[in-house]
Amino acid sequence: MKKLLFALCATLMIVSCQDFNDGNQAQKPEPKISITIPEVLTNYQTAARRAGTVDIKTTLNNTLFAGSNIQVKDVHTFKTIDAVTTVETVDQQFQSTLTSRWVPGDVNRDWNGDGDLDDIDWVSFYPFAVANELYDAEPIYRSMYSKWQNDGYCNTVKIDEMPYDFAMGNPSLILDFGLPSTGNPIADISVVGFLPASIFEAVLGAENILGVAFSFVFVDDNGDPIKSTRGKEDKAYTEVWFNDGFTWAEGAGLGVIDLESVILHEFGHTLNLGHFGVLQVLTDTETGATDYVYQPVNTMNALYIGEARNFLGPNDKGNYCEAWGGWPWN
C-alpha cells in the first residue's frame, strides 16, 4: 500500500484532448492532462495508516484545507454490496437531508462570476466524462440533473450547466490535473468524472466505491462552520468522482453497473440529500439463497444492489422538497 501511495505522486494517466478553437485564431494544442495526488495528502495518509487511524475528512481538512475558508463536511460514498459474502449485513440510514445548505444570494460562492446567486451551477470536466472509454456521460449528467430539478414535488431552483473551458483551470480542489488553480472552486458543483480505480484506493482506501461526493462548507477564522439558513451550515462546494475501474453500462445487469443509477444518486448528494432506507437480507430456508431488498425503494438508498435506481422515489422527492421547497427564501 505504501508503494502504491508514493507511486501515485507520479503521473497516473495522460489524456489527449481534442482542440477547440474559433476560425479566427491559430490552432493551439490543448494541455495534456495528468492526475497526481498532492504529496502532502499521501504523506499524511501514510502516517495515519501506520498509526491505524485514517479518516479522509480529517485528513483533507488537516492538509489541503488547513487554514482555508472552506472545509470538507461530508464524504458520501456509494458502494457495491455482494450478497454471497455479506449475508449477515443489514443497513439502515435515514438522513433525509445534509446538515449543510446552499445559501441563496451568497456572494461568497460566486465562483463563476455570473452574478446569479439564486441558481446552482455545475460543471463537467469533459476529458474524464467518458466511462470505460466507451460511454459519453455528459448527456447522462444533464438528464439526471434534469430529473432532480423537474421530476420532484418541488420545482423551485434552477440547476444550470456551465460548460468547462481549460481557461477555468483545475476542476478539483483535491487532485492535481496539471492545470492552473486559484485554490477556489470553478462552480458550485464540479463533476470531475471517471477516475482510475487506483485513485479511489489511494484516497479513500476502498475498491468497491462506485462514486463519491465531497461536500464543503464555509468556516470562520476559528475553523467553525458558518451558519445562516435555519441553523444549517453554509454550503460552499461539492466535488464528485466516479470509479472507472468498474464495468459500466446503460442499464442494470449481471456484472455491470448502471450509469444512470449511480450518477442520479451522487447528484442527489450534491443537492443536499443523504442516504435513506432500510436494507434487508432475505434468506430462503430451504436453499439458503439470499436476496437483498430495500424498503422503501429510493435512488438515495445507501448501497448499490444491482438494481436500477434511475428514478426518484417518494422519499427522494419529499426529501428534495425539504431541502429546496422554500428556495430562494430557505
Side-chain angles (χ1 to χ4, degrees), residues 95-117:
Q95 185 182 27
S96 57
T97 60
L98 307 186
T99 59
S100 59
R101 286 285 192 277
W102 298 105
V103 176
D106 187 354
V107 296
N108 291 318
R109 64 171 183 84
D110 189 18
W111 308 121
N112 64 355
D114 68 356
D116 185 353
L117 302 175

Side-chain angles (χ1 to χ4, degrees), residues 56-58 60-61 65 70-75 174 213-217 219:
I56 185 58
K57 183 174 81 169
T58 301
L60 290 169
N61 288 336
F65 304 104
I70 66 173
Q71 290 213 326
V72 180
K73 176 62 180 180
D74 295 294
V75 180
I174 299 171
F214 302 88
S215 296
F216 293 73
V217 296
V219 296

Side-chain angles (χ1 to χ4, degrees), residues 78-80 128-137 140-141 144 193-197 200 207-212 240-266 304 307:
F78 194 25
K79 299 180 179 180
T80 59
F128 286 88
V130 179
N132 299 157
E133 299 184 355
L134 182 62
Y135 299 102
D136 180 5
I140 303 176
Y141 294 165
M144 297 305 98
F194 288 80
L195 304 178
F200 282 78
E207 298 178 347
N208 66 329
I209 296 175
L210 300 169
V212 58
V240 183
W241 308 351
F242 300 106
N243 191 339
D244 205 40
F246 288 90
T247 302
W248 296 92
E250 294 179 324
L254 184 64
V256 300
I257 307 296
D258 179 37
L259 283 159
E260 288 191 354
S261 296
V262 177
I263 292 171
L264 187 65
H265 178 101
E266 289 306 319
Y304 182 87
E307 298 176 359

Side-chain angles (χ1 to χ4, degrees), residues 41-150:
L41 181 56
T42 57
N43 288 345
Y44 189 100
Q45 285 188 301
T46 299
R49 285 194 172 95
R50 286 173 180 165
T53 56
V54 181
D55 176 349
I56 185 58
K57 183 174 81 169
T58 301
T59 297
L60 290 169
N61 288 336
N62 286 348
T63 56
L64 300 180
F65 304 104
S68 172
N69 71 326
I70 66 173
Q71 290 213 326
V72 180
K73 176 62 180 180
D74 295 294
V75 180
H76 279 98
T77 58
F78 194 25
K79 299 180 179 180
T80 59
I81 192 164
D82 184 352
V84 174
T85 59
T86 56
V87 294
E88 299 298 323
T89 300
V90 175
D91 178 84
Q92 54 181 347
Q93 298 185 49
F94 292 101
Q95 185 182 27
S96 57
T97 60
L98 307 186
T99 59
S100 59
R101 286 285 192 277
W102 298 105
V103 176
D106 187 354
V107 296
N108 291 318
R109 64 171 183 84
D110 189 18
W111 308 121
N112 64 355
D114 68 356
D116 185 353
L117 302 175
D118 286 341
D119 66 350
I120 301 299
D121 294 311
W122 66 275
V123 65
S124 163
F125 188 45
Y126 66 79
F128 286 88
V130 179
N132 299 157
E133 299 184 355
L134 182 62
Y135 299 102
D136 180 5
E138 288 197 325
I140 303 176
Y141 294 165
R142 297 181 188 108
S143 177
M144 297 305 98
Y145 267 130
S146 178
K147 283 192 178 186
W148 280 114
Q149 177 175 295
N150 299 314

